[in-house]
Amino acid sequence: MKVMAPTTKMYEKIEFTWPAGFYSDGLHAGLKHEKLDMGWLYSAVPATAAGVYTTNQFKAAPTTITQQLIKENHQLQALVLNSAIANSCTGEEGFQNAAKTQALAAAALNIDPSLIGIASTGLIGAQLPMDKIAAGIAQLQLTKNDKVTKAVLTTDTKAKTITVQLHLNGQVVTISGFCKGSGMIHPNMCTMLGFITTDAAISHEALQTLLSDQTESTFNQITVDGDTSTNDMVVTLANGLADNLEIQTDTKDYDKFASAFHAVMAYLAQHIAGDGEGATKLVEVNVAHAATTKEAQQVAKAIVGSNLVKSAIFGKDPNWGRIVAAIGQTQAKVDVAHLSVWLNQLPLVEDSHAAATPEAKLAASMGKKTIQIDVDLNAGLANGQAWGCDLTYNYVKINASYHT
Amino acid sequence: MKVMAPTTKMYEKIEFTWPAGFYSDGLHAGLKHEKLDMGWLYSAVPATAAGVYTTNQFKAAPTTITQQLIKENHQLQALVLNSAIANSCTGEEGFQNAAKTQALAAAALNIDPSLIGIASTGLIGAQLPMDKIAAGIAQLQLTKNDKVTKAVLTTDTKAKTITVQLHLNGQVVTISGFCKGSGMIHPNMCTMLGFITTDAAISHEALQTLLSDQTESTFNQITVDGDTSTNDMVVTLANGLADNLEIQTDTKDYDKFASAFHAVMAYLAQHIAGDGEGATKLVEVNVAHAATTKEAQQVAKAIVGSNLVKSAIFGKDPNWGRIVAAIGQTQAKVDVAHLSVWLNQLPLVEDSHAAATPEAKLAASMGKKTIQIDVDLNAGLANGQAWGCDLTYNYVKINASYHT
């Protein structure tokens, strides 16, 4: 019953590199003590843009502005990013500061402000120090370095980047993604941000459809504490410089590109989950034979979202009762007499009873860095996945000792 | 805007005592190492019964059997209770053991098995040791002691009991409640159990309506980790020995009794939340000016359910950004420009911005044992409450070090 979703294994994962025509830079503007805290992304030509955004009712100023721009113009040529301060719950002044940031970057890049998106991540309720932002923008250059992938980090322990390439009508197409944090796990730092650049030529409709569809099965399927931030955003820019025929929906090229794009999305989502605050393990849940994909995803998310399952995984305890309880909490259709669960491919639950796998063997497998839980609901033909991490002392420590 | 729900302050909370005609006992049957682990409750006459049960799809055998009995007969005369083993996910053998427990108690009490309900709490997936259960039932007596209120405990740190009295047409009516754990917080121990006995005369319809309605605003409004167990159950027995005129719905007596009953329900719910695993603080959230009661309760529960809010409270951090983010995650109607939040009655958020209360004053108030968060959504006229506790190292320790 093992569920297999497209993974980067299907693609040659090459060293991170920017697609044709994309330039970037990052620096320390002084928002953080010493780390990189600001950067930008620039495309030599206006790029087709698509985005998905937080569903939180308290949407931050930069998120609102970028969403509006992409909705109206379907394109962007640059993105200005900062960490440390989320510019969320900052009222009218927050919107003015976001607009001022746009204007400063527009002047520096000599393009229209309406081609510049903004993304911020950090503390809620604090205003941006515009003098530092202005000084930072004045210093940013157009390079091929990857500093911007570090400049967006907050409590992340590492940058999360990936580049894959594919061929479309004879042309090499490059897709490069990077992201930070997780809206579910850093709401104090307030944001999961994801950026995917590609030199593919693709229509806005196709790009938006692709991003929206795949977000459901990737970024929306990671959870740590169920908290959704006010700044969550994934933006993708496609500048067409690969010179492939423009990709439209419902074509062979679309499917081919979608598969590579999904590999990038899934890779980034998994690495956010695995780098969760205080996490010692990545937890991957695959649900098979659900009545619908939505229910499969709902069940998978309920399992990775359960504090008790997460605590048990931290404690290396193959506690199947908690997994069954988490599944039963959902309204998803499930054959309550014939539920099966596998732990790292070892039978854990069979027909809703404890499986025969020896306790010692299960306990040993809990030592792995990645815990894979496969579930068979025996209720249909749909599959779904979710990713999360364990709940540790460090999670509590980080979030209890962080002070506003 | 402070929301006030009925509390036990409205009633003389007297020392725990059983209502007229109720007897009980508890003992150590050997399911636990040394603590009391089994007991029963008995009414001199068959009592009108009502119950509310877990919504978990994997419903334990005793829960299913008791729910069925009350649904069919509207009455019970006894309840047999045990802790340590939940008799959940135990298949056909589990049902047979539950039925055997009924039969043994029926013989000992010389009443029909259909008058005997069962409730178990403890580990999922383990079978009841019927020899110990049989030996225990053989020793149980009919006393006025409160041992049964201790026999149902698992990781609870204390018994949770309350007795209130009121007058109905000249008669003294007594309502006594006790409970253990929290379905949201002990799914490994698997159960929140609540039992409310009264000598009031009340119709089954009135009693069930009362219990169902008030569960929504009490037990269903406590959360710690969002996990719902497979054994959750609250059962109430009313034996009529107070000789009041039988209470019917939509009467003055109903309202009077309902108010006292709510005081008992709310008291028990709050004490479960405050005794959460690893908890150092009780968190009470009152939401005012919501569009609907359901939305007010939804928002209150989102706040007490947020791991980040809970971690901040453990860290004594008045982190209002996390509270705002938790509210914004819900789909409840909220005036995003005019949200107000109070922390222990101190202004924390005003018009969705930080309020003027000095940081030091807020920090000091975080030292309190009970943290009260009042929220004004400025979106309607409905109120709602929820109770929870902080997320601590001990919660993770208890649930990571507990091994199946």
Side-chain angles (χ1 to χ4, degrees):
Chain A
M1 54 69 66
K2 177 76 177 64
V3 187
M4 277 306 298
T7 74
T8 51
K9 294 188 196 66
M10 295 163 53
Y11 298 87
E12 188 197 2
K13 179 174 178 286
I14 60 179
E15 195 184 345
F16 182 78
T17 170
W18 296 107
F22 281 98
Y23 301 87
S24 78
D25 196 14
L27 51 73
H28 171 67
L31 307 178
K32 289 184 192 167
H33 289 307
E34 41 188 329
K35 290 183 178 167
L36 298 182
D37 51 24
M38 184 177 179
W40 67 13
L41 249 179
Y42 173 79
S43 170
V45 297
T48 299
V52 288
Y53 316 89
T54 182
T55 55
N56 196 299
Q57 296 191 62
F58 292 90
K59 197 172 288 180
T63 315
T64 307
I65 288 171
T66 303
Q67 179 171 17
Q68 194 59 28
L69 279 179
I70 292 178
K71 186 178 164 208
E72 285 171 3
N73 311 330
H74 296 184
Q75 62 175 12
L76 287 178
Q77 191 165 359
L79 279 164
V80 183
L81 318 176
N82 77 274
S83 53
I85 293 173
N87 192 7
S88 174
C89 299
T90 46
E92 188 46 41
E93 185 182 349
F95 274 93
Q96 285 164 6
N97 288 339
K100 181 146 187 233
T101 305
Q102 270 186 313
L104 289 165
L109 294 167
N110 189 31
I111 59 177
D112 192 274
S114 68
L115 286 169
I116 299 175
I118 308 172
S120 299
T121 170
L123 189 61
I124 293 178
Q127 298 290 353
L128 288 170
M130 291 311 293
D131 53 339
K132 292 178 178 177
I133 296 289
I137 288 174
Q139 293 170 57
L140 285 170
Q141 305 177 59
L142 298 179
T143 81
K144 285 288 188 182
N145 72 34
D146 65 355
K147 287 182 179 175
V148 69
T149 69
K150 300 183 175 70
V152 292
L153 304 181
T154 53
T155 56
D156 308 58
T157 63
K158 48 177 119 44
K160 303 158 188 67
T161 65
I162 179 176
T163 297
V164 301
Q165 293 185 321
L166 69 156
H167 288 76
L168 286 178
N169 23 83
Q171 305 296 335
V172 174
V173 170
T174 302
I175 306 175
S176 294
F178 67 100
C179 62
K180 63 82 51 179
S182 157
M184 310 305 208
I185 197 174
H186 299 308
N188 61 318
M189 288 304 155
C190 193
T191 304
M192 177 254 125
L193 291 178
F195 303 98
I196 301 168
T197 55
T198 178
D199 44 25
I202 180 168
S203 71
H204 168 73
E205 184 210 356
L207 193 62
Q208 185 64 59
T209 302
L210 186 58
L211 181 66
S212 300
D213 289 354
Q214 300 197 345
T215 296
E216 289 306 316
S217 59
T218 55
F219 289 112
N220 282 356
Q221 283 302 103
I222 55 175
T223 180
V224 171
D225 44 29
D227 282 277
T228 307
S229 100
T230 56
N231 291 48
D232 291 345
M233 169 161 57
V234 180
V235 171
T236 180
L237 302 180
N239 67 9
L241 296 181
D243 288 329
N244 58 296
L245 299 172
E246 186 176 78
I247 301 165
Q248 307 295 343
T249 47
D250 307 319
T251 62
K252 244 173 161 312
D253 279 0
Y254 179 87
D255 298 341
K256 201 171 166 188
F257 186 75
S259 168
F261 199 85
H262 185 277
V264 171
M265 297 274 282
Y267 177 92
L268 294 175
Q270 288 166 31
H271 284 70
I272 284 177
D275 192 27
E277 276 177 334
T280 67
K281 295 174 186 297
L282 167 68
V283 182
E284 173 176 318
V285 177
N286 304 302
V287 174
H289 298 128
T292 66
T293 300
K294 195 158 173 299
E295 289 192 354
Q297 292 175 337
Q298 181 190 11
V299 169
K301 208 163 172 180
I303 295 169
V304 291
S306 161
N307 276 357
L308 287 152
V309 171
K310 290 148 52 51
S311 299
I313 288 171
F314 173 54
K316 303 190 173 67
D317 174 20
N319 191 323
W320 63 269
R322 296 181 184 178
I323 296 171
V324 171
I327 296 167
Q329 284 175 59
T330 70
Q331 294 311 304
K333 191 178 171 207
V334 41
D335 182 342
V336 294
H338 301 95
L339 171 78
S340 300
V341 182
W342 289 259
L343 171 69
N344 293 330
Q345 327 249 356
L346 299 169
L348 183 64
V349 175
E350 209 171 331
D351 292 337
S352 308
H353 291 58
T357 311
E359 181 70 25
K361 202 168 172 188
L362 290 169
S365 117
M366 291 297 293
K368 293 190 177 175
K369 184 93 182 66
T370 296
I371 299 300
Q372 182 182 319
I373 297 169
D374 295 322
V375 175
D376 188 335
L377 299 177
N378 194 34
L381 297 171
N383 299 333
Q385 291 185 295
W387 300 272
C389 59
D390 51 348
L391 177 59
T392 69
Y393 298 131
N394 271 340
Y395 173 86
V396 178
K397 185 177 181 183
I398 291 165
N399 289 299
S401 60
Y402 166 86
H403 274 234
T404 44
Chain B
M1 52 71 66
K2 177 76 178 63
V3 187
M4 276 305 298
T7 73
T8 52
K9 293 188 198 67
M10 296 162 54
Y11 298 86
E12 187 197 2
K13 179 174 177 286
I14 60 179
E15 195 185 341
F16 182 77
T17 170
W18 297 106
F22 282 98
Y23 302 86
S24 78
D25 196 15
L27 50 73
H28 171 67
L31 307 178
K32 288 183 192 166
H33 289 308
E34 41 189 339
K35 291 183 177 167
L36 299 182
D37 51 25
M38 183 176 180
W40 67 13
L41 249 180
Y42 173 80
S43 169
V45 297
T48 299
V52 288
Y53 318 88
T54 181
T55 56
N56 197 299
Q57 295 192 62
F58 292 90
K59 198 171 288 179
T63 316
T64 307
I65 287 171
T66 303
Q67 179 171 16
Q68 195 59 29
L69 279 178
I70 292 178
K71 185 179 166 208
E72 286 170 2
N73 311 330
H74 295 185
Q75 62 174 12
L76 287 178
Q77 191 165 0
L79 279 163
V80 183
L81 318 176
N82 77 274
S83 52
I85 293 174
N87 192 8
S88 174
C89 299
T90 46
E92 187 48 39
E93 185 182 349
F95 274 92
Q96 284 165 7
N97 287 340
K100 182 145 185 238
T101 304
Q102 271 186 312
L104 289 164
L109 294 167
N110 190 31
I111 59 177
D112 191 273
S114 68
L115 286 169
I116 299 175
I118 308 173
S120 299
T121 170
L123 189 61
I124 293 179
Q127 298 290 352
L128 289 170
M130 291 311 294
D131 53 338
K132 292 177 178 177
I133 296 290
I137 289 175
Q139 294 171 58
L140 285 169
Q141 304 176 60
L142 298 179
T143 80
K144 285 287 187 181
N145 72 35
D146 65 355
K147 286 182 179 175
V148 71
T149 68
K150 300 182 175 70
V152 292
L153 304 180
T154 52
T155 55
D156 308 57
T157 64
K158 48 177 122 40
K160 302 157 187 71
T161 65
I162 178 175
T163 297
V164 301
Q165 293 186 320
L166 69 155
H167 288 76
L168 288 177
N169 23 83
Q171 305 297 335
V172 174
V173 170
T174 302
I175 307 174
S176 293
F178 68 99
C179 62
K180 63 83 52 177
S182 159
M184 310 305 211
I185 196 172
H186 299 307
N188 60 318
M189 288 305 154
C190 193
T191 303
M192 176 254 127
L193 292 178
F195 303 97
I196 301 168
T197 55
T198 177
D199 44 25
I202 179 168
S203 71
H204 168 73
E205 185 211 356
L207 192 62
Q208 184 64 59
T209 303
L210 186 58
L211 181 65
S212 301
D213 289 353
Q214 299 198 343
T215 296
E216 289 305 315
S217 60
T218 55
F219 289 111
N220 283 354
Q221 283 302 103
I222 56 175
T223 180
V224 171
D225 44 28
D227 282 276
T228 307
S229 101
T230 56
N231 291 46
D232 290 346
M233 169 161 57
V234 180
V235 172
T236 180
L237 302 181
N239 67 10
L241 295 182
D243 288 330
N244 58 295
L245 300 171
E246 187 178 77
I247 301 164
Q248 307 295 343
T249 47
D250 306 319
T251 61
K252 243 174 161 316
D253 278 0
Y254 180 87
D255 297 340
K256 203 169 165 190
F257 186 75
S259 169
F261 199 85
H262 185 277
V264 171
M265 297 273 283
Y267 177 93
L268 294 175
Q270 289 167 31
H271 283 70
I272 284 177
D275 192 26
E277 276 176 335
T280 67
K281 296 175 185 296
L282 167 68
V283 182
E284 174 176 314
V285 177
N286 304 301
V287 174
H289 299 127
T292 67
T293 300
K294 195 160 172 299
E295 289 191 354
Q297 291 175 338
Q298 181 190 10
V299 169
K301 208 163 172 180
I303 295 169
V304 290
S306 161
N307 276 357
L308 286 153
V309 171
K310 290 148 52 53
S311 299
I313 288 170
F314 173 55
K316 303 190 174 68
D317 174 21
N319 191 322
W320 63 270
R322 296 181 185 178
I323 296 171
V324 171
I327 296 167
Q329 284 174 58
T330 70
Q331 294 312 303
K333 190 179 173 207
V334 41
D335 182 342
V336 295
H338 301 95
L339 172 77
S340 299
V341 182
W342 289 259
L343 171 69
N344 293 329
Q345 327 247 358
L346 299 169
L348 183 64
V349 175
E350 208 172 331
D351 291 337
S352 307
H353 290 59
T357 311
E359 180 70 26
K361 203 169 172 188
L362 290 168
S365 117
M366 291 298 292
K368 293 190 178 175
K369 183 93 184 67
T370 295
I371 298 300
Q372 182 183 317
I373 298 170
D374 294 324
V375 175
D376 188 333
L377 299 178
N378 193 33
L381 297 171
N383 298 334
Q385 291 185 296
W387 300 272
C389 59
D390 52 347
L391 177 58
T392 69
Y393 298 131
N394 271 341
Y395 173 86
V396 178
K397 184 177 183 183
I398 291 165
N399 288 299
S401 60
Y402 166 87
H403 274 234
T404 43

